[in-house]
Amino acid sequence: MRVLIAGANGKVGKHVVRLLSESGHEALAMIRDEAQSGDIRDLGGTPIVADLEGDISNTAEGCDAVVFTAGGGPGSGAEKKETVDRQGAVKLIEAAKESGVSLYVMVSAMGAADPASGSEGMQPYLFAKARADEALRESGLDYTIVRPGRLTNEPGTGRVEAAENLGRRAEIPREDVARAIVATLEAQSTSGKTFELLSGDVPIEDAIARL
Ligand SMILES: NC(=O)c1ccc[n+]([C@@H]2O[C@H](COP(=O)([O-])OP(=O)(O)OC[C@H]3O[C@@H](n4cnc5c(N)ncnc54)[C@H](OP(=O)(O)O)[C@@H]3O)[C@@H](O)[C@H]2O)c1
């Protein structure tokens, strides 16, 4: 598969680029800065320079799928949550449609199921994520929305727990989120599904197959 990854230079994104490439797929890595190209190539990806706050039309040309794992980041204010986390995800929906790409995997967040219950500081982020998810559900694309818990930089274990509503809050290594994204793309069995994702006991491919 040829997969466009928005947020490819991020911590989850780099794992996605490497894992896709290791599995024989073409990882088209959207980066904002040409200087990041070397790192992307070292991971086996193909860099494409574009900014989600600018024009990203045509970036999905020739792709089989797109992945959104970008974000303004924890240090960013409400404005970036709007322009990157929400509008950026919506721009990727438009770019996918323009190029006839039907498969879209969104990295959302656990609290996006009920953004109003988040802390005051988290609400701009959670509402942006929830609105992006809603736009994707209404897009007509063949979507999967992944809602991981708090991300850590621990090495992945290859084992997770995944369900529409896990009913608890916990953590998951970024590497396991990336593996779940790749498993979702390869299985293509989760169309129209939204699921929460935490560390657990089930091998990732099995957890995805059971959704
Ligand atoms: N942190 C958590 O606990 C948590 C929990 C659940 C879900 N999530 C979500 O998981 C996803 C991945 O998280 P992460 O930790 O890997 O994030 P990250 O390391 O902060 O990566 C985010 C990436 O988005 C890119 N980006 C920001 N603005 C952009 C723009 N205007 N155009 C193009 N790219 C842009 C950044 O580019 P640069 O490298 O150039 O800065 C960065 O590479 C995010 O969607 C995040 O919201 C996070």
Side-chain angles (χ1 to χ4, degrees):
M1 300 176 84
R2 179 177 157 96
V3 183
L4 174 66
I5 303 125
N9 191 58
K11 294 185 280 298
V12 170
K14 281 183 167 162
H15 284 299
V16 174
V17 170
R18 174 179 56 81
L19 291 167
L20 279 172
S21 155
E22 283 173 3
S23 301
H25 302 293
E26 187 179 352
L28 188 59
M30 189 192 291
I31 53 173
R32 289 191 283 182
D33 182 351
E34 183 77 51
Q36 297 160 345
S37 295
D39 286 353
I40 294 295
R41 287 204 178 89
D42 288 347
L43 294 169
T46 305
I48 177 170
V49 178
D51 191 324
L52 289 165
E53 291 175 285
D55 180 14
I56 64 158
S57 52
N58 301 322
T59 52
E61 208 60 49
C63 291
D64 302 295
V66 300
V67 173
F68 184 88
T69 184
S76 68
E79 191 195 326
K80 289 280 176 197
K81 311 299 181 208
E82 173 60 19
T83 59
V84 179
D85 298 74
R86 189 184 75 78
Q87 290 179 18
V90 170
K91 275 192 189 171
L92 192 64
I93 293 171
E94 287 159 2
K97 281 185 166 178
E98 257 169 37
S99 301
V101 181
S102 63
L103 200 59
Y104 190 124
V105 178
M106 175 81 87
V107 181
S108 178
M110 212 160 205
D114 184 11
S117 70
S119 67
E120 200 179 319
M122 285 295 283
Q123 283 199 13
Y125 170 69
L126 294 175
F127 272 106
K129 285 298 213 189
R131 286 172 183 145
D133 294 353
E134 197 51 40
L136 182 57
R137 287 201 186 96
E138 290 170 359
S139 67
L141 294 177
D142 185 5
Y143 71 86
T144 301
I145 297 171
V146 185
R147 289 182 165 162
R150 201 177 75 76
L151 303 180
T152 74
N153 293 324
E154 299 300 311
T157 65
R159 290 177 180 264
V160 297
E161 194 183 356
E164 192 177 341
N165 184 358
L166 287 172
R168 67 186 179 95
R169 297 289 173 94
E171 298 178 340
I172 178 165
R174 287 178 166 88
E175 188 175 9
D176 282 335
V177 174
R179 286 186 192 167
I181 292 167
V182 174
T184 298
L185 288 166
E186 289 184 334
Q188 293 192 35
S189 60
T190 56
S191 176
K193 295 198 173 165
T194 299
F195 64 90
E196 295 183 340
L197 189 70
L198 294 173
S199 287
D201 296 330
V202 184
I204 289 172
E205 287 73 18
D206 295 348
I208 298 300
R210 288 180 202 169
L211 285 165

